[in-house]
CSV table of all heavy atoms in Angstrom, one decimal:
chain,number,residue,atom,x,y,z
A,36,PRO,N,2.5,0.4,-16.6
A,36,PRO,CA,1.7,-0.8,-16.6
A,36,PRO,C,0.8,-0.9,-15.4
A,36,PRO,O,-0.1,-1.7,-15.4
A,36,PRO,CB,2.8,-1.9,-16.6
A,36,PRO,CG,4.0,-1.3,-16.1
A,36,PRO,CD,4.0,0.1,-16.5
A,37,LEU,N,1.1,-0.2,-14.3
A,37,LEU,CA,0.3,-0.2,-13.1
A,37,LEU,C,-1.0,0.6,-13.2
A,37,LEU,O,-2.0,0.4,-12.6
A,37,LEU,CB,1.1,0.2,-11.9
A,37,LEU,CG,0.5,0.1,-10.5
A,37,LEU,CD1,0.0,-1.3,-10.2
A,37,LEU,CD2,1.4,0.6,-9.4
A,38,SER,N,-0.9,1.7,-14.0
A,38,SER,CA,-2.0,2.6,-14.1
A,38,SER,C,-3.3,2.0,-14.5
A,38,SER,O,-4.4,2.3,-13.9
A,38,SER,CB,-1.6,3.8,-15.0
A,38,SER,OG,-0.5,4.5,-14.5
A,39,PRO,N,-3.4,1.2,-15.6
A,39,PRO,CA,-4.7,0.6,-16.0
A,39,PRO,C,-5.2,-0.3,-14.9
A,39,PRO,O,-6.5,-0.3,-14.7
A,39,PRO,CB,-4.3,-0.3,-17.2
A,39,PRO,CG,-3.1,0.3,-17.8
A,39,PRO,CD,-2.3,0.8,-16.6
A,40,LEU,N,-4.4,-1.0,-14.2
A,40,LEU,CA,-4.9,-1.9,-13.1
A,40,LEU,C,-5.5,-1.1,-12.0
A,40,LEU,O,-6.6,-1.4,-11.5
A,40,LEU,CB,-3.8,-2.7,-12.6
A,40,LEU,CG,-4.1,-3.7,-11.4
A,40,LEU,CD1,-5.2,-4.6,-11.8
A,40,LEU,CD2,-2.9,-4.4,-10.9
A,41,LEU,N,-4.9,0.0,-11.6
A,41,LEU,CA,-5.4,0.9,-10.5
A,41,LEU,C,-6.7,1.5,-11.0
A,41,LEU,O,-7.6,1.7,-10.2
A,41,LEU,CB,-4.4,2.0,-10.2
A,41,LEU,CG,-3.1,1.5,-9.5
A,41,LEU,CD1,-2.2,2.7,-9.3
A,41,LEU,CD2,-3.4,0.8,-8.2
A,42,PHE,N,-6.8,1.9,-12.3
A,42,PHE,CA,-8.1,2.5,-12.8
A,42,PHE,C,-9.2,1.5,-12.7
A,42,PHE,O,-10.3,1.8,-12.3
A,42,PHE,CB,-7.9,3.0,-14.2
A,42,PHE,CG,-9.1,3.7,-14.7
A,42,PHE,CD1,-9.3,5.0,-14.4
A,42,PHE,CD2,-10.0,3.0,-15.6
A,42,PHE,CE1,-10.5,5.7,-14.9
A,42,PHE,CE2,-11.1,3.7,-16.1
A,42,PHE,CZ,-11.3,5.0,-15.7
A,43,VAL,N,-8.9,0.2,-13.1
A,43,VAL,CA,-10.0,-0.8,-13.1
A,43,VAL,C,-10.5,-1.0,-11.7
A,43,VAL,O,-11.7,-1.2,-11.5
A,43,VAL,CB,-9.4,-2.1,-13.7
A,43,VAL,CG1,-10.4,-3.3,-13.5
A,43,VAL,CG2,-9.2,-1.9,-15.2
A,44,ILE,N,-9.6,-1.0,-10.8
A,44,ILE,CA,-10.0,-1.2,-9.4
A,44,ILE,C,-10.8,0.0,-8.9
A,44,ILE,O,-11.8,-0.2,-8.2
A,44,ILE,CB,-8.7,-1.4,-8.5
A,44,ILE,CG1,-8.0,-2.6,-8.8
A,44,ILE,CG2,-9.1,-1.3,-7.0
A,44,ILE,CD1,-6.7,-2.8,-8.1
A,45,TYR,N,-10.4,1.2,-9.3
A,45,TYR,CA,-11.2,2.4,-8.9
A,45,TYR,C,-12.6,2.4,-9.5
A,45,TYR,O,-13.5,2.8,-8.8
A,45,TYR,CB,-10.4,3.6,-9.4
A,45,TYR,CG,-11.0,4.9,-8.9
A,45,TYR,CD1,-10.9,5.3,-7.6
A,45,TYR,CD2,-11.6,5.8,-9.8
A,45,TYR,CE1,-11.5,6.5,-7.2
A,45,TYR,CE2,-12.2,7.0,-9.4
A,45,TYR,CZ,-12.1,7.3,-8.1
A,45,TYR,OH,-12.6,8.5,-7.7
A,46,VAL,N,-12.8,1.9,-10.7
A,46,VAL,CA,-14.1,2.0,-11.3
A,46,VAL,C,-14.9,0.7,-11.2
A,46,VAL,O,-15.9,0.5,-11.9
A,46,VAL,CB,-14.0,2.3,-12.8
A,46,VAL,CG1,-13.3,3.7,-13.0
A,46,VAL,CG2,-13.3,1.2,-13.6
A,47,ARG,N,-14.5,-0.2,-10.3
A,47,ARG,CA,-15.2,-1.5,-10.1
A,47,ARG,C,-16.6,-1.3,-9.8
A,47,ARG,O,-17.5,-2.2,-10.0
A,47,ARG,CB,-14.5,-2.4,-9.1
A,47,ARG,CG,-14.5,-1.8,-7.7
A,47,ARG,CD,-13.6,-2.7,-6.8
A,47,ARG,NE,-13.7,-2.2,-5.4
A,47,ARG,CZ,-13.1,-1.2,-4.9
A,47,ARG,NH1,-12.3,-0.5,-5.6
A,47,ARG,NH2,-13.2,-0.9,-3.6
A,48,ALA,N,-17.0,-0.2,-9.1
A,48,ALA,CA,-18.4,0.0,-8.7
A,48,ALA,C,-19.3,0.2,-9.9
A,48,ALA,O,-20.5,0.1,-9.8
A,48,ALA,CB,-18.5,1.3,-7.8
A,49,LEU,N,-18.7,0.5,-11.1
A,49,LEU,CA,-19.5,0.6,-12.3
A,49,LEU,C,-20.0,-0.7,-12.9
A,49,LEU,O,-20.8,-0.8,-13.7
A,49,LEU,CB,-18.8,1.4,-13.4
A,49,LEU,CG,-18.4,2.8,-13.1
A,49,LEU,CD1,-17.6,3.5,-14.2
A,49,LEU,CD2,-19.6,3.7,-12.8
A,50,HIS,N,-19.4,-1.8,-12.3
A,50,HIS,CA,-19.8,-3.1,-12.7
A,50,HIS,C,-20.6,-3.8,-11.6
A,50,HIS,O,-20.0,-4.1,-10.6
A,50,HIS,CB,-18.6,-4.0,-13.0
A,50,HIS,CG,-17.9,-3.6,-14.3
A,50,HIS,ND1,-18.3,-3.9,-15.6
A,50,HIS,CD2,-16.8,-2.8,-14.5
A,50,HIS,CE1,-17.5,-3.5,-16.5
A,50,HIS,NE2,-16.6,-2.8,-15.8
A,51,PRO,N,-21.9,-3.9,-11.7
A,51,PRO,CA,-22.7,-4.5,-10.7
A,51,PRO,C,-22.3,-6.0,-10.5
A,51,PRO,O,-22.0,-6.6,-11.4
A,51,PRO,CB,-24.2,-4.4,-11.2
A,51,PRO,CG,-24.0,-4.2,-12.6
A,51,PRO,CD,-22.8,-3.5,-12.9
A,52,GLY,N,-22.3,-6.4,-9.2
A,52,GLY,CA,-22.0,-7.8,-8.9
A,52,GLY,C,-22.8,-8.8,-9.6
A,52,GLY,O,-22.4,-9.8,-10.2
A,53,ILE,N,-24.2,-8.6,-9.6
A,53,ILE,CA,-25.1,-9.5,-10.3
A,53,ILE,C,-26.0,-8.6,-11.2
A,53,ILE,O,-26.7,-7.7,-10.8
A,53,ILE,CB,-26.0,-10.2,-9.3
A,53,ILE,CG1,-25.1,-11.1,-8.3
A,53,ILE,CG2,-27.0,-11.1,-10.0
A,53,ILE,CD1,-25.9,-11.8,-7.3
A,54,GLU,N,-26.0,-8.9,-12.5
A,54,GLU,CA,-26.8,-8.2,-13.5
A,54,GLU,C,-28.0,-9.0,-13.9
A,54,GLU,O,-28.1,-10.2,-13.7
A,54,GLU,CB,-26.0,-7.8,-14.7
A,54,GLU,CG,-24.9,-6.7,-14.5
A,54,GLU,CD,-24.4,-6.2,-15.8
A,54,GLU,OE1,-24.0,-7.0,-16.7
A,54,GLU,OE2,-24.3,-5.0,-15.9
Side-chain angles (χ1 to χ4, degrees):
L37 183 59
S38 296
L40 178 60
L41 292 177
F42 183 82
V43 169
I44 295 174
Y45 185 71
V46 301
R47 66 188 183 280
L49 297 178
H50 290 280
I53 299 178
E54 287 195 313

